[in-house]
Amino acid sequence: MHSGCHYQQPIIAQPWFLPSRLVLSLQLHVGAPLKDLNTFHIEARAARLASAGSVSDLIALSRTAEWRSGPRLILGGGSNILFVGDFEGLVVRIALRGIEVVGENEHAVLVRAAAGESWDALVEWTLAAGHPGLENLIRIPGTVGAAPIQNIGAYGLELAERFAELEAFDPQSGEVLRMDRAACRFRYRDSIFKSERRDLIITAVTLRLPKVWKPVVNYKDVLAALQARGQTAPSAADIAAIVAALRAAKLPDPSELGNVGSFFKNPVVSAARHRDLLEKFPGLVGYLQSDGSYKLAAAWLIEQCGWKGRALGPVAVHDKQALVLVNCGGATGEQVLTLSRAIEQSVHSRFAVELEREPVVV
Ligand SMILES: Cc1cc2nc3c(=O)[nH]c(=O)nc-3n(C[C@H](O)[C@H](O)[C@H](O)COP(=O)(O)OP(=O)(O)OC[C@H]3O[C@@H](n4cnc5c(N)ncnc54)[C@H](O)[C@@H]3O)c2cc1C
């Protein structure tokens, strides 16, 4: 097992030649529809679409003219992407598979999952295998490989807290790097993969799941549900069931109503700014952070501006969760952006707080 020290190292070198069989096994689809590959169900096309089921596929793809000549987009489950037009380059779907226990000591179990596995299926797998620790993150859509990109989080837990290391293909060098938590620079819905290392393609993630498990119950809705059930010593399965039920009650199912979950991040403000805002708006919902700043509930700000349940054309603010924008049918990415900008303006003129978008706009 690795210590918490910062490392970033290559684990395989680029082979000096590539068997032509690998190149031939890759299929490039031309003008491929993306509507079913993004959970907002926005109509868009990719000039080229390929699927990578292994690191060898990625190496082979990185040597194609299509890869080198134009823009490229790595696509997982499409649950955090907003397409605002066709993509004039190569879209690579990540389809690497496999989940296994790769290490264990008296403190923790290490579980490694390939990037193309479903995140939710991984959570279920760990729980069924008797390795709790991810239960608060159950039902988050998307792939394992995308989880570190925005350091997914929910119900009082972030990926970073269970993260051991990841493997990422570096198209520049042709190497696969191993990166520990420090190297990934995780922050609230952020990581190095959203800035300096956008070029890396995550191929596998290893999680460190604690042997001495304690439920994470600092989130008020989870606490309230436990009290309502009279559970004082919940199991990981109990927490998973509570979180799954809370999510099902609040969040629209993308297969029925296109969405990408929270459209805005919760804005973080200084203690002084929080005090000022609280004086003006006594109902303000904010959570003290370990560094003394406050995370404001963006949903509350949006609700106060009267947006909850309102629609602008075919895009609406979900009536049960003001952070979620939904595609009521046939919406374009631009229409989603128009509504999101109107919300940002309202919140800014009322509270002088900037809202920041969570999904990646492509
Ligand atoms: C109903 C719903 C609820 C949600 N709830 C939550 C929640 O509670 N917490 C939360 O944090 N998020 C939530 N999300 C957002 C989303 O599920 C996560 O951000 C998820 O990690 C995205 O995974 P994906 O595979 O769909 O990524 P995609 O949308 O396919 O990609 C997202 C970004 O990551 C990049 N990317 C994807 N895979 C890789 C890879 N292997 N290597 C490098 N880059 C890659 C893409 O290029 C893109 O920039 C929710 C979304 C929905 C629809």
Side-chain angles (χ1 to χ4, degrees), residues 268-281 284 294 296 347-348 350-354:
V268 177
V269 297
S270 68
R273 180 94 185 85
H274 178 255
R275 207 171 37 244
D276 288 351
L277 280 166
L278 205 53
E279 264 173 33
K280 279 197 212 146
F281 308 100
L284 183 81
Y294 280 80
L296 305 180
V347 168
H348 188 261
R350 177 126 190 234
F351 300 102
V353 169
E354 305 283 346

Side-chain angles (χ1 to χ4, degrees), residues 170-314:
D170 180 349
Q172 298 300 323
S173 64
E175 290 170 337
V176 174
L177 304 176
R178 260 172 47 192
M179 297 170 71
D180 71 356
R181 186 160 64 170
C184 296
R185 292 210 227 129
F186 291 123
R187 290 188 304 268
Y188 167 60
R189 296 296 176 278
D190 199 18
S191 71
I192 196 166
F193 311 105
K194 288 186 115 184
S195 50
E196 291 110 281
R197 297 313 312 257
R198 273 171 212 253
D199 56 325
L200 293 180
I201 301 165
I202 296 169
T203 55
V205 177
T206 301
L207 298 150
R208 181 180 282 116
L209 304 176
K211 280 269 180 77
V212 181
W213 174 84
K214 276 196 281 187
V216 176
V217 291
N218 49 15
Y219 198 89
K220 73 172 173 18
D221 289 0
V222 176
L223 267 178
L226 284 172
Q227 274 159 11
R229 291 168 166 222
Q231 285 173 329
T232 48
S235 66
D238 294 331
I239 301 287
I242 287 171
V243 171
L246 286 169
R247 294 182 69 98
K250 270 195 197 163
L251 293 170
D253 178 349
S255 65
E256 288 161 15
L257 205 52
N259 75 93
V260 288
S262 302
F263 199 86
F264 301 102
K265 296 182 187 180
N266 289 318
V268 177
V269 297
S270 68
R273 180 94 185 85
H274 178 255
R275 207 171 37 244
D276 288 351
L277 280 166
L278 205 53
E279 264 173 33
K280 279 197 212 146
F281 308 100
L284 183 81
V285 182
Y287 305 96
L288 179 62
Q289 304 299 290
S290 53
D291 63 359
S293 63
Y294 280 80
K295 199 187 274 177
L296 305 180
W300 186 87
L301 302 172
I302 296 168
E303 253 182 272
Q304 294 303 302
C305 295
W307 280 108
K308 196 174 184 180
R310 269 177 67 189
L312 209 58

Side-chain angles (χ1 to χ4, degrees), residues 313-334:
V315 193
V317 179
H318 190 49
D319 54 3
K320 296 200 190 97
Q321 169 53 276
L323 270 184
V324 179
L325 304 190
V326 294
N327 177 357
C328 305
T332 63
E334 280 301 341

Side-chain angles (χ1 to χ4, degrees), residues 2-3 5 16 19 41 44 56 69 85 94 103 112 117 123 135 152 170 186 188 222 263 283 286 319-320 322-323 325:
H2 296 284
S3 68
C5 68
W16 63 274
H41 305 308
S56 306
S69 62
I94 297 299
R112 178 184 180 277
E117 291 288 343
V123 176
E135 53 286 342
I152 57 167
D170 180 349
F186 291 123
Y188 167 60
V222 176
F263 199 86
D319 54 3
K320 296 200 190 97
L323 270 184
L325 304 190

Side-chain angles (χ1 to χ4, degrees), residues 18-142:
L18 210 85
S20 56
R21 166 180 75 74
L22 290 177
V23 181
L24 292 175
S25 73
L26 286 169
Q27 279 200 342
L28 282 180
H29 301 273
V30 179
L34 296 170
K35 190 177 175 189
D36 293 338
L37 303 183
N38 73 94
T39 61
F40 236 136
H41 305 308
I42 301 286
E43 200 91 60
R45 280 184 182 271
R48 300 272 187 283
L49 176 76
S51 193
S54 63
V55 171
S56 306
D57 282 355
L58 288 172
I59 294 172
L61 270 171
S62 69
R63 293 171 170 203
T64 60
E66 284 79 4
W67 179 289
R68 276 181 260 131
S69 62
R72 49 176 192 269
L73 172 73
I74 303 303
L75 189 62
S79 64
N80 211 25
I81 280 187
L82 174 65
F83 287 109
V84 289
D86 290 340
F87 189 74
E88 302 301 339
L90 174 66
V91 173
V92 180
R93 292 193 74 192
I94 297 299
L96 292 87
R97 294 278 186 270
I99 304 178
E100 59 183 326
V101 171
V102 289
E104 186 165 0
N105 64 20
E106 72 270 30
H107 304 298
V109 174
L110 292 180
V111 176
R112 178 184 180 277
E117 291 288 343
S118 138
W119 172 263
D120 186 47
L122 169 65
V123 176
E124 296 271 17
W125 187 97
T126 56
L127 291 173
H131 307 309
L134 299 179
E135 53 286 342
N136 294 56
L137 304 179
I138 197 162
R139 298 290 179 266
I140 297 182

